[in-house]
C-alpha cells in the first residue's frame, strides 16, 4: 500500500503483503486425511469474525499475528490499518496507518472482547510503532517471556524500481516491552540489537520456545524459504539477540556462524505459523500456498529443524473462487480456543472495493476440528 492518511486517495493494494477479509460465505467444509492417525474438518467461523468489527473506529487491518500474553489476554498485531478519528467515519475519511495492535480478552474469539490501539500524532491516528523517515514497520511475530514481551517487526520502504510489487524490505527490528501487562498505550518498546538487521532475512516470522531456547523462523523475503535460529531463553529475556545459533544441517548442527545455515522449509510463503501439533507428535506449520486463487496448507515435522513434510491442503477459502482472486496470509493461532486449530487468512481486493465495501479487509477465521485424539501425552510448547 502507499503511504497515506485521512482520505484513501490513490490506493496501490496489489503489493500489500496482507489484507484480511470478512465474507458472508456459504458453508465450505473440507475433510482430508493428514496422515494415518489424524483426520480433520475445516470450516468458516463467522461468529469469531465479528470480534474485529466491534469497534466503529477500527475499520480494518491486515497481517493479524497473535501473541499469548497470559491470563486470557491475546495481543493482535496488524499491518496497514484504517483508523477513524471518530465513530461514523468511512474508510475514505479515516487515517491509513502502517500498523496497529489490539488486546483480546478471552481466548475464544467468538466470545471475547477486544480493544484496538494506535498512536495519536497531530491530533490524528498514527502508527502504533512509529515510522522513521520514508520507512515503516510491518509486524512479524513475538513471544511473552515471563514479565517481558519480545516483538519483531520488518522495516519496509517503497521500491523505486517498482519491483517486488512496489515495495521492498530493508531488514527487521526487535523490540522489548517491559510492562506487557499494562495497556499498549502505556508501553515504551526498547529497540534491541540483533543479527543481520539489514537485507532480506526477516527474523521472527514465527517464534516458539521450549525450556532452554527461544526459536525464531527466518524468512528470506525474495526466495520465501525459511531458516531457523535460536537464543538461550535467558539471553532472549535479557534482550541479547546479537549472537544466535543457526541451524546448519544435520552434519554441523547448531552454529553461531550463519554462513552455513540451511533451509528448513522451502516455499514457506510470505508469512506462516509454527506450533506444536495439537493432535499428534511434533510440530505443525500453516501457510497460504502462493497468491491468487490459493489454498491454506500445512506441513508436519517431528522436530523444528525438520525434515518437514510436503504441503497438504487444509482449507480452500471461498474467495479463491471469485474473479481476480488474491488470497494469502494464512496462519494458525495456537493460543486461541474454540477448535483444535484456529486459522486466519488474507484476501486482497480492488482499490474501489476496499474504499467502499466494508465486508472486506477484516481478518477471517477458520475453525479446524480433529476427529481423533492422537496427542500421545505430548507436552505443548509455550507461545
Amino acid at each position: 500500500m502507499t503511504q497515506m492518511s485521512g482520505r484513501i486517495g490513490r490506493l496501490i493494494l496489489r503489493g500489500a503483503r496482507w489484507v484480511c477479509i470478512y465474507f458472508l460465505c456459504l458453508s465450505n467444509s473440507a475433510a482430508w486425511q493428514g496422515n494415518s492417525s489424524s483426520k480433520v474438518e475445516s470450516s468458516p467461523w463467522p461468529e469469531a469474525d465479528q470480534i474485529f468489527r466491534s469497534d466503529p473506529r477500527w475499520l480494518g487491518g491486515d497481517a493479524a499475528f497473535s501473541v499469548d500474553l497470559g491470563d486470557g489476554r491475546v495481543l493482535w498485531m496488524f499491518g496497514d490499518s484504517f483508523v477513524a478519528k471518530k465513530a461514523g467515519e468511512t474508510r475514505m475519511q479515516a487515517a491509513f496507518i502502517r500498523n496497529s495492535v489490539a488486546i483480546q480478552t478471552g481466548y475464544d474469539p467468538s466470545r471475547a472482547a477486544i480493544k484496538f490501539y494506535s498512536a495519536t500524532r497531530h491530533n490524528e491516528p498514527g502508527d502504533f510503532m512509529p515510522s522513521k523517515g520514508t520507512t515503516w514497520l510491518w509486524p512479524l511475530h513475538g513471544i511473552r517471556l515471563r514479565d517481558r514481551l519480545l516483538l519483531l517487526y520488518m522495516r519496509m520502504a517503497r521500491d523505486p524500481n517498482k519491483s517486488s510489487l512496489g515495495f521492498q524490505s530493508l531488514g527487521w527490528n526487535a523490540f522489548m516491552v517491559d510492562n506487557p501487562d499494562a495497556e499498549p498505550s502505556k508501553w515504551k518498546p526498547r529497540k534491541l540489537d540483533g543479527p543481520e538487521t539489514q537485507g532480506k532475512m526477516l527474523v521472527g516470522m514465527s517464534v516458539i520456545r521450549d525450556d532452554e531456547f527461544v526459536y525464531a523462523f527466518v524468512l528470506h523475503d525474495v526466495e520465501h524459504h525459511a531458516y531457523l535460529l535460536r537464543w538461550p531463553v535467558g539471553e532472549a529475556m535479557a534482550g541479547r539477540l546479537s549472537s544466535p545459533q543457526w541451524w546448519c544441517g544435520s552434519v554441523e548442527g547448531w552454529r553461531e556462524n550463519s554462513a552455513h545455515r540451511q533451509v528448513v522449509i522451502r516455499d514457506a510463503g510470505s508469512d506462516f505459523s509454527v506450533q506444536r501439533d495439537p493432535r499428534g507428535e511434533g510440530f505443525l506449520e500453516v501457510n497460504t500456498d502462493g497468491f491468487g486463487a490459493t489454498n491454506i496448507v500445512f506441513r508436519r515435522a517431528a522436530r523444528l529443524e525438520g525434515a518437514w513434510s510436503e504441503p497438504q491442503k487444509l482449507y480452500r477459502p471461498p474467495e479463491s473462487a471469485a474473479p481476480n482472486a488474491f488470497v494469502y496470509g494464512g496462519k494458525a493461532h495456537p493460543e486461541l480456543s474454540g477448535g483444535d486449530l484456529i486459522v486466519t487468512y488474507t484476501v486482497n481486493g480492488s482499490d474501489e472495493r476496499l474504499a467502499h465495501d466494508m465486508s472486506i479487509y477484516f481478518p477471517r477465521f477458520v475453525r479446524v476440528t480433529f476427529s481423533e485424539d492422537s496427542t500421545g501425552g505430548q507436552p505443548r510448547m509455550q507461545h
Side-chain angles (χ1 to χ4, degrees), residues 321-343:
N324 302 314
F326 191 6
V327 178
Y328 55 114
K331 63 178 72 69
H333 305 276
E335 68 281 348
L336 299 186
S337 63
D340 294 326
L341 189 69
I342 307 302
V343 174

Side-chain angles (χ1 to χ4, degrees), residues 6-280:
R7 295 183 180 274
I8 295 179
R10 296 181 60 195
L11 296 174
I12 304 178
L13 296 173
R14 301 170 188 85
R17 183 173 301 273
W18 305 290
V19 181
C20 292
I21 189 170
Y22 177 82
F23 186 84
L24 296 175
C25 62
L26 298 176
S27 176
N28 184 14
S29 298
W32 48 264
Q33 188 72 30
N35 59 24
S36 60
S37 61
S38 64
K39 182 180 179 180
V40 305
E41 294 183 352
S42 54
S43 59
W45 195 11
E47 296 85 357
D49 294 346
Q50 296 299 320
I51 191 172
F52 295 119
R53 303 172 64 85
S54 61
D55 186 333
R57 293 184 58 242
W58 195 81
L59 303 181
D62 53 16
F65 285 88
S66 62
V67 180
D68 187 1
L69 297 181
D71 297 326
R73 298 171 71 241
V74 177
L75 169 68
W76 287 94
M77 303 163 67
F78 304 102
D80 295 340
S81 307
F82 290 99
V83 180
K85 189 174 180 180
K86 60 182 179 180
E89 289 185 341
T90 67
R91 285 183 183 156
M92 291 292 292
Q93 298 166 315
F96 174 83
I97 63 176
R98 289 302 187 178
N99 58 76
S100 63
V101 301
I103 297 293
Q104 174 182 317
T105 304
Y107 288 122
D108 183 338
S110 69
R111 301 181 179 184
I114 197 167
K115 185 176 181 179
F116 295 87
Y117 298 85
S118 59
T120 301
R121 295 182 176 87
H122 308 295
N123 203 32
E124 295 286 340
D127 300 351
F128 178 78
M129 298 291 284
S131 301
K132 185 176 181 180
T134 58
T135 66
W136 67 86
L137 296 175
W138 276 348
L140 295 168
H141 200 206
I143 192 168
R144 175 77 183 253
L145 299 170
R146 294 186 185 176
D147 60 348
R148 293 181 176 180
L149 175 64
L150 177 64
L151 300 177
L152 293 309
Y153 280 79
M154 66 176 77
R155 296 195 312 277
M156 301 299 299
R158 296 181 185 179
D159 186 352
N161 298 320
K162 303 298 182 181
S163 61
S164 300
L165 302 176
F167 53 77
Q168 59 182 332
S169 62
L170 303 179
W172 64 282
N173 286 127
F175 299 89
M176 189 70 80
V177 175
D178 296 318
N179 58 337
D181 292 324
E183 287 195 74
S185 56
K186 298 181 180 179
W187 292 355
K188 295 181 179 180
R190 295 184 288 113
K191 185 178 177 182
L192 306 176
D193 292 329
E196 300 183 2
T197 58
Q198 305 291 330
K200 299 299 181 181
M201 302 296 285
L202 304 178
V203 174
M205 188 59 64
S206 189
V207 185
I208 190 170
R209 64 163 290 186
D210 58 20
D211 291 338
E212 295 185 76
F213 295 98
V214 174
Y215 300 84
F217 281 85
V218 183
L219 183 71
H220 192 288
D221 195 45
V222 176
E223 299 172 352
H224 286 177
H225 299 328
Y227 300 80
L228 184 64
L229 60 73
R230 70 183 187 185
W231 301 279
V233 171
E235 293 294 293
M237 289 181 59
R240 296 189 289 265
L241 307 182
S242 296
S243 300
Q245 295 177 333
W246 291 80
W247 177 246
C248 296
S250 57
V251 175
E252 296 190 38
W254 291 96
R255 299 293 181 96
E256 289 191 9
N257 186 352
S258 64
H260 295 163
R261 60 193 173 210
Q262 295 292 307
V263 172
V264 176
I265 303 174
R266 293 191 174 275
D267 299 320
S270 60
D271 57 315
F272 57 88
S273 64
V274 177
Q275 66 178 79
R276 184 168 289 281
D277 191 328
R279 289 296 190 211

Side-chain angles (χ1 to χ4, degrees), residues 362-377:
F362 292 92
R364 176 78 173 169
F365 282 98
V366 176
R367 179 161 49 179
V368 180
T369 302
F370 290 78
S371 62
E372 299 176 10
D373 186 353
S374 58
T375 58

